[in-house]
Amino acid sequence: MDDDGEHEVLNSIPPAKTLDPTAHKKHLAMVERLSKGASAVKPSLPSSSSADAPPPFESTKSFLDRFSDSRRSIESDLFRLRNQISGPGTGSDPKPDLEKVSAAISDLERLVAENSYFLPPYEVRSSLKAVSDLKESLESVNSEILPRKKFSFRNKSSKKERSDQLVIEKSNFTVQNPNFFVRDSPGFRDKEGVVLVKHFRRDSDEAEGDFTLADLKSCEIHITGRFRALFVHRLKNCRVFVGPVLGSILIENAESCLFMLASHQIRIHEAKGTDFYLRLRSRPIIENCSGVRVAPYRLFYEGIERDLRDSGLEEETGNWANVDDFRWLRAVQSPNWCVLSEEERVVVVDISASEPN
């Protein structure tokens, strides 16, 4: 008997108060049997495919367990490195250990970014604060362990950068800011006034990689296909159109730009006068921003529907309009961002004809 039939039988039974004691007992027994029957039917319903199953860490408890284990391991390494400062010299080079801790912190930040779409906002904030504290501790250990002459903190003399900006260059990453990592990944860097095009092939392992946009001015960037993560640093007067990102997007220092992005999570630092056309699984996070405007994703290229579907981004969640401003804790609307009016939004942008560089 199907569910509808069971409901019809239940509804046809007269109210219990109208039955005599014997009939009342039979009525209760029938209701109980039908209830058990309905429960038995549910497990037999077709289950969703394994492709629709949630990621292995898509629960707050499992995420917090993994996050806590990783954080304790990093804290233990930092404690050990601090002891090397006051303890007897071992003669060993501390740089490999420092780089290992730096990479672990970067991975921990990515873990938060890639899982934030199902975490409660408080847990996201708390986790990001813990990551920020670990970075500050690493900076402190760095400055204490490495001799000043050998330490790679230096004032940048390039006209493109502020003269007082501190930069740490390592073999596998560059720290431009204690709160932001620019990884040594493939990407477009140090360009001005050009169109830059990148296609990620669906049948290539490259689709699982990271990509970086850094030090670009007055450029237009077209990226199609799926890839794992996007890092953006120091863009000015640029237009950036990007296909779905499987994990996270981290942006620092964007001025007078337009971004069209789809990802599971995005975090934006120091954006000024910039428009974001977004499709997201989680709420966008901004910090130290002003003049940010948001609108829904409006990108097209041949195959984008498949790429969005394979990335779990085919659904428009409306999260693009639910911005969390970490520097604005009042109950009223943050003055640092707003929804872009319909009249000012660009039409759908088609980058199908773009040729890779």
Side-chain angles (χ1 to χ4, degrees):
M1 181 183 297
D2 58 22
D3 288 343
D4 292 339
E6 289 164 0
H7 287 304
E8 290 174 2
V9 172
L10 287 171
N11 291 334
S12 67
I13 298 173
K17 64 182 180 180
T18 65
L19 301 178
D20 59 35
T22 301
H24 181 59
K25 290 182 180 180
K26 292 181 179 180
H27 163 75
L28 293 177
M30 181 180 293
V31 171
E32 183 177 0
R33 286 197 304 275
L34 291 173
S35 298
K36 291 180 178 178
S39 300
V41 170
K42 292 180 180 178
S44 66
L45 294 175
S47 59
S48 60
S49 65
S50 59
D52 296 329
F57 295 106
E58 192 159 323
S59 77
T60 301
K61 182 180 184 303
S62 59
F63 165 81
L64 291 177
D65 288 345
R66 179 175 176 181
F67 182 89
S68 297
D69 289 344
S70 299
R71 184 180 64 181
R72 282 194 294 268
S73 176
I74 294 170
E75 289 173 342
S76 177
D77 288 340
L78 288 170
F79 180 78
R80 176 176 53 80
L81 288 169
R82 283 189 182 279
N83 285 342
Q84 291 181 9
I85 300 172
S86 57
T90 61
S92 61
D93 184 1
K95 289 185 178 181
D97 289 335
L98 292 171
E99 291 179 3
K100 179 181 176 181
V101 173
S102 297
I105 294 174
S106 182
D107 290 341
L108 191 61
E109 183 173 41
R110 176 182 294 169
L111 178 70
V112 178
E114 293 180 348
N115 290 276
S116 63
Y117 63 90
F118 68 84
L119 293 172
Y122 170 78
E123 298 297 352
V124 175
R125 290 184 174 88
S126 177
S127 299
L128 290 174
K129 176 62 167 59
V131 171
S132 179
D133 290 343
L134 290 173
K135 290 178 181 180
E136 290 181 5
S137 296
L138 175 60
E139 289 299 303
S140 175
V141 173
N142 260 326
S143 62
E144 294 176 29
I145 287 182
L146 297 180
R148 288 293 177 183
K149 292 184 179 180
K150 295 182 180 180
F151 190 44
S152 57
F153 261 63
R154 69 181 188 273
N155 288 330
K156 295 292 286 182
S157 58
S158 172
K159 294 181 180 179
K160 290 184 177 181
E161 300 169 345
R162 298 188 305 268
S163 62
D164 60 345
Q165 185 177 28
L166 295 179
V167 177
I168 309 170
E169 293 186 349
K170 299 296 181 184
S171 61
N172 65 333
F173 66 89
T174 300
V175 179
Q176 304 291 349
N177 178 307
N179 294 318
F180 190 88
F181 283 71
V182 178
R183 302 175 68 87
D184 186 18
S185 64
F188 298 132
R189 296 174 172 85
D190 300 306
K191 303 290 183 181
E192 182 174 352
V194 296
V195 177
L196 303 167
V197 179
K198 171 68 177 178
H199 294 323
F200 282 93
R201 291 165 32 207
R202 296 186 182 93
D203 59 348
S204 171
D205 291 339
E206 189 180 26
E208 293 298 316
D210 301 344
F211 203 76
T212 295
L213 306 175
D215 296 305
L216 304 179
K217 184 177 180 180
S218 301
C219 293
E220 182 159 320
I221 300 95
H222 300 174
I223 304 177
T224 65
R226 300 179 299 119
F227 58 106
R228 184 173 57 201
L230 177 65
F231 300 90
V232 179
H233 192 53
R234 289 197 303 271
L235 267 62
K236 186 174 183 179
N237 297 324
C238 291
R239 290 163 56 88
V240 182
F241 305 99
V242 181
V245 176
L246 298 170
S248 60
I249 298 174
L250 301 176
I251 297 176
E252 184 185 52
N253 200 335
E255 182 178 350
S256 302
C257 294
L258 182 152
F259 290 92
M260 199 165 284
L261 308 166
S263 70
H264 285 249
Q265 193 268 354
I266 185 169
R267 188 172 185 188
I268 304 163
H269 297 258
E270 298 181 6
K272 298 178 181 179
T274 294
D275 294 343
F276 292 90
Y277 292 77
L278 304 172
R279 177 173 292 188
L280 299 166
R281 285 283 302 272
S282 62
R283 298 164 67 99
I285 297 170
I286 66 172
E287 191 170 4
N288 294 331
C289 295
S290 62
V292 165
R293 302 190 300 179
V294 294
Y297 192 62
R298 289 186 170 182
L299 185 65
F300 177 80
Y301 60 81
E302 186 176 350
I304 191 173
E305 295 87 356
R306 174 184 170 184
D307 288 342
L308 288 168
R309 182 180 64 252
D310 292 347
S311 304
L313 293 165
E314 71 277 16
E315 179 185 359
E316 174 53 79
T317 63
N319 278 326
W320 61 269
N322 298 321
V323 179
D324 281 335
D325 186 348
F326 275 17
R327 292 294 183 181
W328 188 260
L329 303 179
R330 303 178 188 177
V332 298
Q333 166 70 35
S334 165
N336 299 318
W337 71 274
C338 68
V339 172
L340 187 58
S341 66
E342 288 279 358
E343 296 77 17
E344 295 180 276
R345 296 176 188 176
V346 301
V347 297
V348 174
V349 178
D350 187 348
I351 60 173
S352 301
S354 302
E355 293 294 334
N357 293 85

